[in-house]
Amino acid sequence: MSKGGNSKKAGERFYWNPFFGDSQVQLADIGTSWIRIVRKQEGYTTGFVLIKILPSPITTADGGGGMTFKADIIASLEFPRVEGAYQTISDENLKEIESAYTK
């Protein structure tokens, strides 16, 4: 997926790639990545998941190096219906929620 704004339907897979868009980047230069997943039903935002991907250097038995990555779910939120009606959650609301977790 690119660094911004891709849509997938339920059941479709997506993959994170630290080299997307820049195949010349070195593993040691890869920093923290964030994946933001927004669930929508009938055009309304009903859920939000924020995933943080951190690089983690590893040392092999022969003294060489490498890199692995660790993904953590930082937030997993549901916006249920209230009295039968969907809540209105704007993109700005989601940005505010995300910034509270990424500070």
Side-chain angles (χ1 to χ4, degrees):
M1 294 191 68
S2 71
K3 292 187 179 186
N6 284 325
S7 294
K8 297 286 183 186
K9 296 194 182 317
E12 289 183 306
R13 292 180 185 212
F14 67 90
Y15 298 89
W16 172 85
N17 180 343
F19 301 110
F20 186 86
D22 188 358
S23 61
Q24 301 301 315
V25 71
Q26 300 296 313
L27 272 175
D29 296 330
I30 297 172
T32 301
S33 296
W34 294 89
I35 295 176
R36 177 187 200 223
I37 300 171
V38 178
R39 183 181 69 209
K40 293 196 174 213
Q41 289 179 261
E42 298 177 26
Y44 291 91
T45 298
T46 59
F48 176 75
V49 177
L50 185 62
I51 301 168
K52 182 178 186 178
I53 301 176
L54 295 165
S56 179
I58 56 173
T59 304
T60 59
D62 64 359
M67 187 75 68
T68 188
F69 295 89
K70 179 182 180 207
D72 290 319
I73 296 175
I74 302 302
S76 180
L77 307 172
E78 181 179 7
F79 308 112
R81 291 182 184 198
V82 176
E83 296 180 9
Y86 287 109
Q87 298 181 52
T88 302
I89 308 294
S90 69
D91 286 339
E92 190 60 39
N93 295 136
L94 292 176
K95 287 178 186 176
E96 290 172 11
I97 293 168
E98 184 174 340
S99 72
Y101 287 100
T102 58
K103 288 182 179 180

